[in-house]
Amino acid sequence: MVTRRQTIFGALGTAAALTAVANLSPQALAADNIDDMPRKKVKLAPPPFVHEHEQVASGPPKVVEFEMTIQEKIWEVDDEGTTTHAMTYDGTVPGPMMVVHEGDYVELTLINPESNELLHNIDFHASTGALGGGALTEVAPGEQVVLRFKATRPGTFVYHCAPGGSMIPWHVVSGMNGTIMVLPRDGLKDEKGNPLRYDKVFIIGEQDFYIPRDENGEYKTYETVSESFSDQIETMRGLIPTHVVFNGKKGALTGDNALKANVGDKVLIVHSQANRDTRPHLIGGHGDYVWETGKFNNPPEKDLETWFIRGGSAGAAFYEFLQPGVYAYVNHNLIEAVELGATAHFLVDGDWDDDLMKQVKAPGPITK
């Protein structure tokens, strides 16, 4: 009898991944002896927020337990009502950010409810082996899987769905990506080894969408996610996104949803892009310390105006806000920022410092 799992695996062309699992030795699949290690169960927070965590690890390494549920859902990508069939971890674009410390074990329970149509998995760029865990986490609708890996490299890393073949980019550009941050056990440091402590941390996930259009130039809609596949693949192959947004939707981090801070707050901004290169820029501010590649073993760059995040990676920028007001945080491909949606706002409260900036004379008639 052919099971639903076999049907889905065949339809999605995941034979190579299954072969990789089959070829793993029993030793490779055996559980580590971690029964005596402390455990911590973490409740994930929806982006742009991040779950509570220690910046400096207290105690020995532990097993940090996470749970995420895959949701296939209709997703609105702009303020004009344009929708797509999104694939998500825990119902958000991007998925939640996980935070652990170097030497900890990440133990994830990944759930694919019966109500979904497609097979999914998760590839952690922070992990080692088995296609980033992708070969060990393929779950059909109605299944769940538990993956554990050791966090051996400090930094910010992307995770994403990678079921095989054309399904990989389709799932990623449909929203199925997120970030994990592995902090050094003694916390972040500047280029001289002095400690850096942040007051707030935000995750900004940049997402490129490729929404097919009909013969009249109108965005198309589909009854099911599977029905959209062929049109969306054709649009994706043009390599020109219809939307480039932060946290899933144009305006998701502006207006009432602007990110809040106060003058004097030290803020860590983690920026991910699972598919395309991007150039974050904070208008009116700077990157005091920036890990462009997101790897905390490398010294941070200082005083950057714009930084570069490679597609398939996440970087981190540390900034102390010095003036009140609205700061626009953009992809400094300004066409994508203004026309396609890659803009967020920080709303900062506090007292103005005339020494840093002052309007000496207001606009008025030309006098000479």
Side-chain angles (χ1 to χ4, degrees), residues 83 278 331:
T83 61
T278 186
N331 172 341

Side-chain angles (χ1 to χ4, degrees), residues 121-239:
N121 68 356
I122 191 164
D123 166 5
F124 282 101
H125 288 194
S127 69
T128 302
L131 302 178
L136 301 177
T137 55
E138 291 177 322
V139 280
E143 295 182 336
Q144 69 177 44
V145 66
V146 181
L147 175 75
R148 187 179 68 243
F149 71 89
K150 189 174 185 178
T152 59
R153 301 171 187 269
T156 52
F157 301 83
V158 161
Y159 65 77
H160 62 86
C161 193
S166 295
M167 293 292 156
I168 300 173
W170 185 39
H171 286 222
V172 170
V173 302
S174 295
M176 209 164 185
N177 56 82
T179 309
I180 182 169
M181 180 163 69
V182 181
L183 289 168
R185 296 203 70 78
D186 54 354
L188 299 181
K189 291 183 170 61
D190 67 15
E191 79 287 358
K192 296 179 180 179
N194 300 312
L196 292 173
R197 301 290 179 263
Y198 48 85
D199 300 301
K200 296 184 177 183
V201 55
F202 296 111
I203 172 63
I204 297 180
E206 186 170 334
Q207 181 69 48
D208 45 321
F209 285 111
Y210 301 79
I211 315 297
R213 297 179 187 265
D214 62 21
E215 61 276 9
N216 299 316
E218 301 295 326
Y219 290 117
K220 298 178 71 172
T221 59
Y222 302 87
E223 289 295 322
T224 68
V225 62
S226 299
E227 183 185 340
S228 70
F229 174 70
S230 59
D231 284 351
Q232 195 160 6
I233 286 292
E234 183 177 352
T235 303
M236 288 161 50
R237 287 173 178 165
L239 301 179

